[in-house]
Amino acid sequence: MPASGEQYPVASASRWPSASVRQATADDTRALVETLTEAADWVTRLDGTTMWVEGELEEHRVRSEAEAGMFVVAEIDGQVVGAIRFQLEDQLFWPDLDGRDSAFVHRLAVRRANAGQGISTALLQWTVDRARSLGRRYLRLDCDADRPRLRALYERFGFRLHSYRQVGAYYVSRYELQIPQP
């Protein structure tokens, strides 16, 4: 993972505030939980979908994942406005792949007040850059197959549908992005 505090600037249109993307630390735990909870609540209100169950938003779990280097945050003026989880294996949603050539992302979330400002794109670009620096050829993710707006966001970024998979109660669309190598 990048050194603590390493930041990547977010290109933004002149009407949007500037932002940066960096590796999360344990100090970001409360902001991460708030950001993820806000996103989960918004999706529930939007279409009734339940996101991130089984303790995924509990503070102790998020803190542990942040300490392990699994979260990245986007900030504007020192405030966390978005987050994404980055990992190097995913046996739950991608058990049929070797995975050594892949990185995986989960839990993309943007604060509602910052929607439409390119935060999701900046977070995804950080994960592409990080995966490339680790020699990974693919960035992979999954999302609820019944979330067309989210799927469209990933497709606009360049992800291509790989397959569908039933994982417990979840029917997911699995996406991959081939990472151009230098």
Side-chain angles (χ1 to χ4, degrees), residues 61-139:
R61 182 169 175 179
V62 172
R63 176 180 301 279
S64 175
E65 291 170 345
E67 288 171 344
M70 297 176 86
F71 273 106
V72 176
V73 294
E75 291 184 316
I76 295 176
D77 298 328
Q79 300 297 310
V80 171
V81 297
I84 195 166
R85 184 176 168 188
F86 179 84
Q87 58 196 67
L88 297 178
E89 59 182 41
D90 185 349
Q91 288 299 306
L92 181 60
F93 290 96
W94 294 87
D96 52 325
L97 291 180
D98 176 334
R100 288 180 286 182
D101 65 348
S102 303
F104 304 87
V105 293
H106 291 281
R107 295 193 224 162
L108 174 63
V110 174
R111 301 297 299 245
R112 299 315 316 144
N114 302 98
Q117 296 181 20
I119 303 300
S120 293
T121 299
L123 288 163
L124 288 168
Q125 187 59 55
W126 187 98
T127 64
V128 168
D129 294 342
R130 183 65 181 143
R132 181 184 297 112
S133 76
L134 295 170
R136 303 299 170 120
R137 294 183 51 228
Y138 295 95
L139 185 63

